[in-house]
Amino acid sequence: MTIEIELKFIVLPEAAANLAAQLAAWPHQHTPAESLTNIYFETADNQLRRWDMGLRIRGFGEHYEMTLKTAGQTIGGLHQRPEYNIDLQQPELDIFLLPADIWPAGCDLAALQRQLSALFSTHFQREKWLVSYKSSEIEVALDRGEVAAGELSEPLYEVELELKSGERDDLLAFAAELGKMSGLRLGSLSKAARGYALAQGGAQQALRPLPVMQVKRKATVEEGMRAAFMLGLSQWQYHEELWLRGNPAARASVQEALETLRQAFSLFGVLIPRKASSELRQNLTALEEALAEKRPEAQNLCFSALWLDTQLALTNWLATERWRQFIDAKADAKLQGSFKRFADIMLGRLAAEMKESFDTIHHNGEYRDKAPRLERQLLAVHLLAGAYDSAAVEAWTGSWNQLLQAIRYQQESWLDAHCRQAVKQPAFWMNGSVKERPEA
């Protein structure tokens, strides 16, 4: 078993053609392109997917290899997953060759072997460079081909950076250097994820409203903060894919995701100095301005240097816990405190601000003026309300959302009634209705 640490990029064809020239800036060893075929296996009920596993056989030349990837972590385009590789004499699946202790307790391997069948495949040319960068060796792989499932297929243009030896920080720094060339964006979806989507018919995914953020019971403030940024980044990249695939409504969801990240910086800014995130916040502002322009082009913006630089910086910030360079022992002690207590305090402040803002309205124009701030405050509530009874949270936020919808759709006859209802909602964070969540 090895831990695979790699960064994945989606690359435009013209950028792929320029990659070799870009890599000439560093010492490297080049390997000419070779043909690779990967066949991915799954059960009819997607059991491996539910276990967060991926199983494939790869063929290149006369060599075959079975690979199982198990649950890991993805931050932006940084993928870190345990990986098991078994050499094969023939391209025939045999899961008994894998270590027995990787399977869930009680797994019937013989039954699982019978249920597995080929679900989708990838066919591509892989060209590689082993680059020496700082104190690390980084493999750069350029893949050009397709992902196919049945009659459906889509083109594949990817660049993968895999840390062969050295430090993860060097991998992230090298990615930032490579990101200066245009035509790259982070790939949050693996080849397997794209293959599963095709196998399910390639239907367009639905927009995903921002959920109430969930954290483990007794989470620390730092764990809650990390989860908030992870949620915002996940929402951003999910809707980025939809926007690029032709759903114009996803642009507004990308804007909401960026605002969610800004609200996370605002919420936790009481504990972390502003200088720890100043560049990130400036980039988020610049992206929001670009998205607000009239009819921005999805491909131009999502493959821009600003887009990639911001996602890479946020990925780096999370993966390396960059904020720790800016805090002292006192701030650290607060970060290790109870996220639930932190949420109690911050929700109380948000609710007081919302009530004060809407307690006295003199004319309907004030509702329109206050709506943008209300939207931002409700996003912040979503980042704080996961530890409480979900029905109570839904009732409280539902009243404010009714008011927000009435403002958006100019339902002026309903504004005052919805406002009164929202303002008088009892505080769900003070009524003892804490949701019991298992320890992680």
Side-chain angles (χ1 to χ4, degrees), residues 269-423:
V270 298
L271 302 175
I272 295 175
R274 290 180 62 83
K275 62 184 178 181
S277 60
S278 58
E279 186 175 347
L280 260 173
R281 287 183 285 103
Q282 289 169 9
N283 281 5
L284 289 172
T285 299
L287 282 176
E288 287 178 317
E289 291 172 352
L291 281 163
E293 292 179 3
K294 187 176 181 180
R295 302 176 71 177
E297 172 61 40
Q299 180 166 294
N300 289 344
L301 191 52
C302 294
F303 282 93
S304 69
L306 175 62
W307 193 278
L308 176 59
D309 184 54
T310 306
Q311 286 193 357
L312 269 176
L314 184 55
T315 298
N316 195 341
W317 202 74
L318 286 166
T320 63
E321 299 181 340
R322 191 72 65 182
W323 58 85
R324 296 205 143 268
Q325 301 176 9
F326 299 88
I327 61 173
D328 56 20
K330 184 177 179 181
D332 183 50
K334 292 181 178 178
L335 283 174
Q336 302 317 311
S338 165
F339 178 68
K340 168 65 170 55
R341 286 196 296 271
F342 176 83
D344 286 343
I345 295 168
M346 300 308 291
L347 284 166
R349 292 178 183 176
L350 280 167
E353 291 172 3
M354 293 160 73
K355 184 175 180 180
E356 180 182 3
S357 181
F358 286 93
D359 237 348
T360 306
I361 297 287
H362 298 98
H363 55 83
N364 286 345
E366 289 186 60
Y367 284 112
R368 292 190 297 273
D369 295 339
K370 295 173 186 289
R373 187 181 183 196
L374 177 58
E375 289 183 64
R376 295 193 295 269
Q377 290 166 324
L378 286 172
L379 291 177
V381 170
H382 277 71
L383 300 178
L384 295 166
Y388 308 91
D389 178 73
S390 57
V393 173
E394 185 175 346
W396 193 90
T397 56
S399 290
W400 288 103
N401 276 314
Q402 276 188 322
L403 172 59
L404 192 55
Q405 292 302 312
I407 298 171
R408 284 174 178 166
Y409 296 107
Q410 301 180 16
Q411 298 169 338
E412 296 191 355
S413 61
W414 289 97
L415 289 175
D416 288 342
H418 286 323
C419 184
R420 287 192 299 270
Q421 176 64 25
V423 167

Side-chain angles (χ1 to χ4, degrees), residues 20 28-33 127-130:
H28 65 269
Q29 300 172 19
H30 176 249
T31 301
E127 188 175 2
K128 296 189 294 188
W129 296 261
L130 185 62

Side-chain angles (χ1 to χ4, degrees), residues 180-294:
K180 293 175 183 177
M181 65 181 282
S182 60
L184 296 174
R185 68 182 181 91
L186 282 182
S188 60
L189 296 180
S190 64
K191 293 183 181 70
R194 295 168 67 181
Y196 272 100
L198 282 178
Q200 293 167 1
Q204 181 71 270
Q205 297 292 305
L207 299 180
R208 188 172 70 188
L210 181 71
V212 172
M213 186 184 81
Q214 303 297 318
V215 295
K216 70 179 183 181
R217 189 167 172 258
K218 296 184 180 179
T220 65
V221 175
E222 188 170 40
E223 288 170 331
M225 178 182 72
R226 182 182 177 84
F229 287 111
M230 291 284 287
L231 177 58
L233 180 56
S234 173
Q235 287 289 106
W236 178 4
Q237 293 188 307
Y238 177 86
H239 292 102
E240 170 189 332
E241 290 286 340
L242 299 190
W243 192 27
L244 282 164
R245 290 173 182 267
N247 186 342
R251 176 168 69 96
S253 295
V254 170
Q255 290 174 300
E256 181 185 77
L258 296 181
E259 184 56 49
T260 300
L261 289 167
R262 287 173 60 84
Q263 288 304 306
F265 279 118
S266 178
L267 284 172
F268 298 99
V270 298
L271 302 175
I272 295 175
R274 290 180 62 83
K275 62 184 178 181
S277 60
S278 58
E279 186 175 347
L280 260 173
R281 287 183 285 103
Q282 289 169 9
N283 281 5
L284 289 172
T285 299
L287 282 176
E288 287 178 317
E289 291 172 352
L291 281 163
E293 292 179 3
K294 187 176 181 180

